[in-house]
Amino acid sequence: MTVNSSLHSDSNQLIISIDERFDFSLHQQFRDCYSQVQQKGLEYILDLSKTKYMDSSALGMILLLKDHVEMYASTLTIQNPSDTVSKILEIAQFHRLMTIK
C-alpha cells in the first residue's frame, strides 16, 4: 500500500495516486503528500485507478484534502475510480462535493 504524489508545475497540477488499499494505515503518508503544498490555484488530482479497496477513514481523508484544497482556492478532482470505489463514492454522495471523472 503506497501513496505517490507528483507536482507538475508546467500544468499546475498535484497528482496523488493510491495503490491497492486506501484505509487509515495511509493517513500520515496521504497527509504528507499535500500538507506542505501551499500554492494557490493548483489543480489537485486524486488518482484512484489502482485502488481496489477503500473504507470510511479514506472518505474522511479525502474530506480533509478537500478542506486543504479550498483553503488555497484550488480544485480537487477524483480521477478513474474503480467500479467498487466509484460505488462507495456514490453512496457517500461525494459527487455533490467534488468532480469525479
Side-chain angles (χ1 to χ4, degrees):
M1 295 185 295
T2 58
V3 178
N4 298 300
S5 68
S6 55
L7 181 59
H8 301 272
S9 54
D10 57 326
S11 61
N12 211 28
Q13 293 179 330
L14 174 68
I15 300 173
I16 302 170
S17 59
I18 311 290
D19 291 341
E20 298 295 320
R21 295 176 59 88
F22 191 7
D23 58 26
F24 189 75
S25 68
L26 297 179
H27 175 66
Q28 191 62 50
Q29 195 178 358
F30 181 72
R31 190 174 178 278
D32 290 346
C33 285
Y34 68 84
S35 62
Q36 300 301 316
V37 179
Q38 299 177 353
Q39 184 177 336
K40 290 189 184 249
L42 195 62
E43 180 183 5
Y44 289 73
I45 297 173
L46 181 57
D47 182 358
L48 298 180
S49 60
K50 296 179 183 174
T51 308
K52 294 178 177 30
Y53 171 83
M54 178 168 141
D55 66 8
S56 60
S57 65
L59 295 173
M61 289 186 274
I62 294 171
L63 291 176
L64 291 173
L65 172 60
K66 181 182 179 294
D67 289 344
H68 175 84
V69 167
E70 289 175 348
M71 190 166 48
Y72 293 100
S74 298
T75 61
L76 172 61
T77 302
I78 296 178
Q79 202 168 56
N80 301 320
S82 67
D83 288 341
T84 303
V85 170
S86 186
K87 286 177 186 173
I88 293 167
L89 294 170
E90 184 180 330
I91 290 167
Q93 298 189 1
F94 270 44
H95 62 283
R96 293 181 175 195
L97 303 172
M98 61 200 71
T99 303
I100 302 174
K101 293 182 180 178

